[in-house]
Amino acid sequence: MKKKNLTTSYLMMLLPGYVWLFLFSIVPMIGFTFAFQAFVPGHGFFGSPWVGFDNFRYLFSLNDARSIFFNTVYISVFKIAGGVLVPLVFALLLNEIRVGLFKKWVQTIVYLPHFLSWVILGGIMLDVFSISGPVNRIVESLGGTKTAFFARADLFPTIAILSDVWKEFGFNAVIYLAALTGISPSLYESAAIDGAGRWQQLWRITLPSIATTAVLLTVLGLGNVLNAGFDQIFNLYNPLTYSTGDIIDTWVYRSGLLNLQFGLATAAGLLKSVMGFALITISYWLARRFANYRIF
Amino acid sequence: MKRMAFPTALALGLLVLSGANAQQMDPFGKYSDPVTINIGLSIQPTDKLPDGDSADNNQYTRYIKDKLNINTVISWMAATGNDYNQKVNLSIASGDLPDGLVTLDTAQLIQMAKADELADLTAAYNMYASPAMKAMISRNPKALSGVTFNGKIMAMPSLAVPDDGYHITWIRKDWLDKLGLKPPKTVAELEAVARAFIAKDPGGNGKGNTIGIAGQQNGANLYATFLNSTNNQFGLDPFFAGFDAYPGYWLKGKDGHAVYGSTTPETRAALLELQKLYKEGILDQEIGIRKDATESINSGRAGIYFGNWWSGYWPLPDAIKNHPEANWQAYAVPVDKNGKYIPHAGTVSNQYAVVRKGYEHPEALIKLLNLLIRDEGNFDQNNGSINWFPLRVPMAMIDESPVTIKAMHDVLANPSLIAKYQGPDYAMYKLLKTDVVGIGSTKLKPYDKSDIQYWNTSDKFWSRGYSYFTGNTAINSFAFDKVYSLVYYQTKTMIAQWSNLKKLEDETFLKIIYGTSISTFDQFVKDWKAQGGDTITQEVDAASK
């Protein structure tokens, strides 16, 4: 009897979360009807004429369709890879430092950029990489010629990926550092007694101990393959870099919110959601299989 | 004097005419019971209000409450530009419009009208519009037809002075003088001036820091288009016109049929020249991708930019704050191969005030605008800029500029004429009564010279006075031909496909300027036609017949 009461209170506590989820995630889903309509504003979710898959057909007839899907996957795959590897290496390096104060100091500084929004950081980057900015001054003083970095479509993905990895690696390293402190010191002590050097300790103890964390972060990242980072791209791109920088989200934003192509934008968004759902399902399956991670 | 009296006579005539077929109500009648209007407001982030005032409690809303008994409530507000347009788009999409709002986008107006979200203003306009408003609108016959859908007036249009559509060239005259150069006329001369600015560095910016021709910023238009035909500050419009090229405009081709200006050989030639200038380093090396176009002008590094007559408001106040010697003067150049300055001309209206369908007092909008026209000049804009006026769409007499310039010169020469210009004959020129007083406090002798050293630049009237004596004089001192677009709105197919074509165009043109082979242009024309351009051209052709 007592137990049942408890369950009720737990469910009551969950209620606000469910209401939130219902209002902001479930209800707006009705809007996917726009993808199959020649949407006329003001006629509600079901009032506009139905056009079947016309919006999707038009979407795929555009040259943009292929490039935005490719750009999205390309940029985000490298971001995920960089976002796993760089923090890992950094955390391992930091872990080897024995001066406590210096270690804390470095750790604090590298994770500061995480707290800056892309609106601010994007503005800073545009200035730093502009024709008269510091990067070009250095290039010039070394005898190179000035480049308008953000005019170069070939450089854009690299800049986007590197800056994103740079912004987030300090913060992501925290997870690894936490995993590292979780390794029992007795393992290292016994290894040292057995005559293992620093390298051997790294390969035999440290890496295997945090491998699960790394695998988990990678597979969970897979669910985000179609999110290449709207905030960042939006603040950095321009018509010259559309060809390599335009991602699904920025394209949906432009066609829907700026150009009033509600049906078309919803179609692209819906397509992204369906593919994202499939990827998330796969990644959870992988996480369960390889990292023994489960939510349900 | 005789000519000036004409509009008044016309207005009176119209008043009689309109009185005959519609019941005329008091345009300024105060409601006996308070009326509330919820509005969406677009505002510049730089528009500040005095302490204690707010968007729904400031000198304008209090005045409106006092005179009309209307309470203004702000449903939402957003920064002018993309933020505001997005907010309006969201309101349109969700069918949740405030009682009134102003749209800055013809496409939005058409969307709202087609979606049946707007109140019919025909009766309200006929019954409540003041004689002054009717006079202004009647001198711009196209204004009302642009907001009439199925015979009903669905919005109140702004009435722009035609000057806002003509783009001109601003040049640092102090640099010209220093180098002993004459103001350029042709494209070649303009390029030579820019070249000299860079080579001889009259601004002392240091080697490699001078920008010959300043460039547009990311997200703004490289040239005005048929949908955004006016006020394209920092675009390349005059340069294109120097090649008889009018990209973004719908033109009548040699065969009499519609042709899109961005696909013509003239535009190709202009792009090729721009590419050359970019390569040579004369054109801003970050054109179209820089964050802020005003930066190079305000920092004193740019010698030439293209833009509007009203530059005295923006960006020049900041430019002369940093460099008081910067003598920016305006020229109606470059001329084309026949030696003529032929700018493109904009639409009469680029802003529209609308009322949501079902709002009980659609006439409240008309009354607000009546009040604005009558009393705009009375407000001290130091207590909040006129942009705070609810549902404001600027309305101006079509000949406001030439009349204003003449009045300013007249009262400088003979202050006793002030009374004449403040009299009833000029009541339609709503700012004239303050203009004729203000000019005296900012213009220094000699009155016929507009150079920067002959102005009291700290006077609050400087922006307006300077804009009229430089930019506006440049386009009102001689007669010239202009190029109109065949249409200024989207045809049926455009609604679905224009954004894709425009993206293709923006991307291609900017790439060509940055050095991609000109053969991309020919490919662009082919793609553009295949991806819907041909259909759209036929629609425009049919619509313009």
Side-chain angles (χ1 to χ4, degrees):
Chain A
M1 195 63 197
K2 205 184 168 198
K3 200 177 168 210
K4 196 182 166 209
N5 277 341
L6 257 179
T7 317
T8 319
S9 349
Y10 284 147
L11 285 176
M12 290 298 286
M13 280 190 252
L14 265 178
L15 193 64
Y18 273 110
V19 170
W20 181 88
L21 188 77
F22 180 76
L23 284 181
F24 292 99
S25 291
I26 310 288
V27 173
M29 267 199 236
I30 307 172
F32 81 83
T33 51
F34 299 172
F36 305 98
Q37 292 175 333
F39 180 63
V40 182
H43 288 195
F45 292 118
F46 300 100
S48 310
W50 297 89
V51 294
F53 283 90
D54 276 8
N55 286 323
F56 292 90
R57 245 173 250 135
Y58 180 60
L59 174 66
F60 283 109
S61 76
L62 299 176
N63 297 343
D64 287 353
R66 204 176 316 136
S67 75
I68 58 171
F69 277 95
F70 176 80
N71 292 341
T72 307
V73 174
Y74 181 85
I75 291 176
S76 70
V77 162
F78 279 97
K79 275 186 181 175
I80 292 169
V84 170
L85 291 179
V86 175
L88 177 63
V89 172
F90 174 74
L92 291 174
L93 289 174
L94 201 63
N95 196 42
E96 296 300 314
I97 291 170
R98 294 287 171 235
V99 187
L101 197 65
F102 179 69
K103 193 173 160 180
K104 282 269 179 298
W105 195 69
V106 170
Q107 200 185 328
T108 310
I109 285 182
V110 297
Y111 88 35
L112 277 182
H114 168 79
F115 294 101
L116 291 176
S117 79
W118 273 114
V119 178
I120 295 168
L121 214 53
I124 294 174
M125 282 186 62
L126 290 179
D127 277 340
V128 168
F129 287 96
S130 75
I131 286 274
S132 49
V135 174
N136 267 313
R137 281 185 200 278
I138 293 169
V139 169
E140 209 180 22
S141 68
L142 295 176
T145 46
K146 291 185 183 179
T147 320
F149 287 98
F150 284 102
R152 297 262 307 263
D154 54 338
L155 290 181
F156 188 82
T158 316
I159 295 176
I161 292 161
L162 288 183
S163 59
D164 183 71
V165 170
W166 168 78
K167 180 177 186 286
E168 300 297 336
F169 84 92
F171 190 77
N172 291 339
V174 172
I175 299 170
Y176 290 113
L177 287 169
L180 286 173
T181 51
I183 303 172
S184 163
S186 59
L187 286 175
Y188 291 107
E189 283 161 16
S190 50
I193 291 166
D194 290 344
R198 290 297 274 279
W199 270 113
Q200 276 175 318
Q201 289 182 21
L202 177 69
W203 285 110
R204 309 267 173 189
I205 300 171
T206 316
L207 277 180
S209 306
I210 59 171
T212 340
T213 313
V215 171
L216 182 65
L217 287 179
T218 316
V219 292
L220 290 186
L222 202 58
N224 275 325
V225 160
L226 293 180
N227 292 326
F230 173 84
D231 294 359
Q232 181 199 20
I233 305 288
F234 179 70
N235 282 297
L236 294 180
Y237 79 163
N238 61 59
L240 285 175
T241 47
Y242 279 167
S243 56
T244 58
D246 203 12
I247 56 172
I248 303 173
D249 289 338
T250 49
W251 191 87
V252 166
Y253 164 81
R254 281 205 318 277
S255 22
L257 280 186
L258 296 185
N259 297 321
L260 299 159
Q261 304 295 308
F262 300 114
L264 190 62
T266 313
L270 181 63
L271 208 59
K272 187 195 144 189
S273 300
V274 170
M275 290 166 64
F277 180 70
L279 285 167
I280 286 175
T281 314
I282 294 171
S283 72
Y284 276 125
W285 182 78
L286 288 173
R288 194 167 172 171
R289 179 108 168 63
F290 293 106
N292 201 23
Y293 170 89
R294 54 180 76 197
I295 290 180
F296 306 112
Chain B
M1 179 61 205
K2 240 177 194 159
R3 201 172 71 82
M4 295 307 153
F6 173 69
T8 324
L10 187 73
L12 288 172
L14 269 165
L15 181 60
V16 174
L17 278 178
S18 57
N21 53 23
Q23 189 191 1
Q24 183 67 37
M25 310 291 283
D26 179 4
F28 303 99
K30 188 172 176 175
Y31 289 105
S32 48
D33 297 319
V35 164
T36 299
I37 187 159
N38 295 290
I39 64 163
L41 184 68
S42 97
I43 203 76
Q44 300 273 7
T46 46
D47 280 334
K48 298 278 185 293
L49 284 170
D51 283 343
D53 276 8
S54 64
D56 42 19
N57 179 18
N58 53 55
Q59 58 168 339
Y60 304 109
T61 59
R62 286 190 294 267
Y63 190 77
I64 288 164
K65 172 75 184 160
D66 181 44
K67 295 286 174 191
L68 301 175
N69 203 12
I70 295 176
N71 295 316
T72 313
V73 177
I74 308 291
S75 290
W76 43 260
M77 53 197 276
T80 309
N82 276 350
D83 285 350
Y84 181 76
N85 285 344
Q86 262 174 56
K87 195 78 194 158
V88 176
N89 284 346
L90 281 174
S91 298
I92 296 174
S94 57
D96 183 24
L97 295 181
D99 297 334
L101 63 80
V102 174
T103 163
L104 313 160
D105 184 344
T106 315
Q108 286 176 342
L109 173 70
I110 295 173
Q111 280 259 1
M112 288 188 278
K114 293 231 160 108
D116 199 22
E117 292 182 311
L118 299 182
D120 177 2
L121 298 174
T122 319
Y125 171 76
N126 286 333
M127 286 159 71
Y128 286 92
S130 69
M133 185 196 288
K134 284 186 172 160
M136 285 181 184
I137 287 182
S138 68
R139 303 262 330 253
N140 276 305
K142 278 183 184 161
L144 267 193
S145 65
V147 294
T148 304
F149 297 83
N150 298 328
K152 294 175 190 160
I153 300 173
M154 303 306 271
M156 293 313 294
S158 66
L159 301 172
V161 286
D163 318 39
D164 289 352
Y166 311 143
H167 297 83
I168 47 178
T169 303
W170 289 84
I171 305 177
R172 281 286 293 263
K173 184 152 174 281
D174 53 326
W175 288 10
L176 287 176
D177 293 344
K178 213 176 206 172
L179 302 179
L181 295 168
K182 276 209 193 81
K185 274 217 164 336
T186 63
V187 172
E189 286 170 19
L190 182 75
E191 291 173 6
V193 164
R195 212 166 277 137
F197 282 174
I198 289 178
K200 299 184 181 153
D201 190 17
N205 287 305
K207 189 178 167 290
N209 285 334
T210 302
I211 294 174
I213 299 173
Q216 185 59 285
Q217 66 195 28
N218 186 7
N221 289 322
L222 278 186
Y223 39 83
T225 66
F226 71 106
L227 291 174
N228 298 86
S229 54
T230 55
N231 296 330
N232 191 35
Q233 187 84 306
F234 312 121
L236 293 167
D237 306 74
F239 189 89
F240 279 106
F243 286 78
D244 293 315
Y246 302 94
Y249 265 54
W250 289 97
L251 313 169
K252 192 162 249 186
K254 290 189 187 76
D255 59 354
H257 287 290
V259 58
Y260 185 50
S262 299
T263 61
T264 59
E266 289 85 3
T267 298
R268 188 185 192 273
L271 282 173
L272 199 58
E273 188 69 15
L274 284 167
Q275 185 184 67
K276 196 190 95 190
L277 293 182
Y278 181 85
K279 204 169 174 189
E280 209 185 318
I282 290 175
L283 186 61
D284 179 10
Q285 296 296 295
E286 290 177 284
I287 181 171
I289 65 168
R290 60 169 58 246
K291 208 168 171 51
D292 180 4
T294 61
E295 190 271 333
S296 65
I297 294 158
N298 292 346
S299 63
R301 289 165 57 217
I304 299 170
Y305 73 87
F306 303 113
N308 287 100
W309 67 272
W310 42 256
S311 287
Y313 289 94
W314 184 71
L316 297 187
D318 285 328
I320 59 161
K321 208 178 282 163
N322 299 334
H323 294 269
E325 78 287 359
N327 184 17
W328 285 101
Q329 294 294 319
Y331 304 91
V333 294
V335 295
D336 67 0
K337 58 180 188 295
N338 302 319
K340 283 187 175 154
Y341 165 73
I342 309 179
H344 57 59
T347 35
V348 178
S349 310
N350 49 19
Q351 302 181 28
Y352 311 90
V354 297
V355 175
R356 131 186 104 78
K357 190 176 188 176
Y359 179 61
E360 298 82 6
H361 299 282
E363 76 286 351
L365 168 66
I366 315 288
K367 285 189 176 184
L368 285 173
L369 294 175
N370 287 337
L371 199 66
L372 174 70
I373 292 168
R374 191 186 67 182
D375 297 337
E376 179 176 344
N378 298 348
F379 293 105
D380 179 358
Q381 297 213 20
N382 289 327
N383 296 328
S385 101
I386 194 72
N387 294 336
W388 292 102
F389 194 98
L391 302 181
R392 168 177 182 258
V393 283
M395 289 190 176
M397 285 299 280
I398 198 164
D399 59 350
E400 187 181 281
S401 297
V403 171
T404 305
I405 291 180
K406 183 169 184 303
M408 284 178 174
H409 280 288
D410 281 359
V411 298
L412 283 174
N414 180 3
S416 67
L417 287 171
I418 290 178
K420 175 186 116 181
Y421 284 112
Q422 289 182 329
D425 282 356
Y426 291 90
M428 239 83 70
Y429 302 93
K430 54 192 190 303
L431 295 176
L432 204 59
K433 43 185 179 288
T434 43
D435 283 350
V436 288
V437 179
I439 191 67
S441 63
T442 179
K443 186 76 191 84
L444 310 175
K445 282 180 178 170
Y447 294 140
D448 59 336
K449 288 233 181 353
S450 61
D451 301 86
I452 193 73
Q453 61 267 38
Y454 306 127
W455 292 86
N456 173 8
T457 54
S458 56
D459 188 86
K460 66 178 199 263
F461 195 78
W462 176 80
S463 284
R464 189 165 170 84
Y466 193 76
S467 295
Y468 271 102
F469 272 59
T470 55
N472 205 287
T473 302
I475 44 179
N476 275 305
S477 51
F478 70 105
F480 47 81
D481 290 334
K482 43 219 86 138
V483 170
Y484 291 89
S485 184
L486 293 176
V487 296
Y488 287 98
Y489 56 87
Q490 292 196 324
T491 60
K492 190 165 155 275
T493 309
M494 279 194 224
I495 290 170
Q497 304 191 353
W498 190 250
S499 54
N500 173 47
L501 292 175
K502 186 66 170 53
K503 186 206 154 195
L504 187 67
E505 179 180 330
D506 292 344
E507 204 177 344
T508 311
F509 284 19
L510 202 54
K511 275 190 170 162
I512 292 174
I513 294 174
Y514 273 79
T516 307
S517 155
I518 192 72
S519 63
T520 350
F521 181 85
D522 308 323
Q523 186 60 40
F524 156 75
V525 174
K526 240 182 257 163
D527 291 346
W528 185 89
K529 288 183 170 170
Q531 293 180 23
D534 270 340
T535 322
I536 290 168
T537 307
Q538 283 163 16
E539 287 176 1
V540 172
D541 199 41
S544 60
K545 284 277 142 57

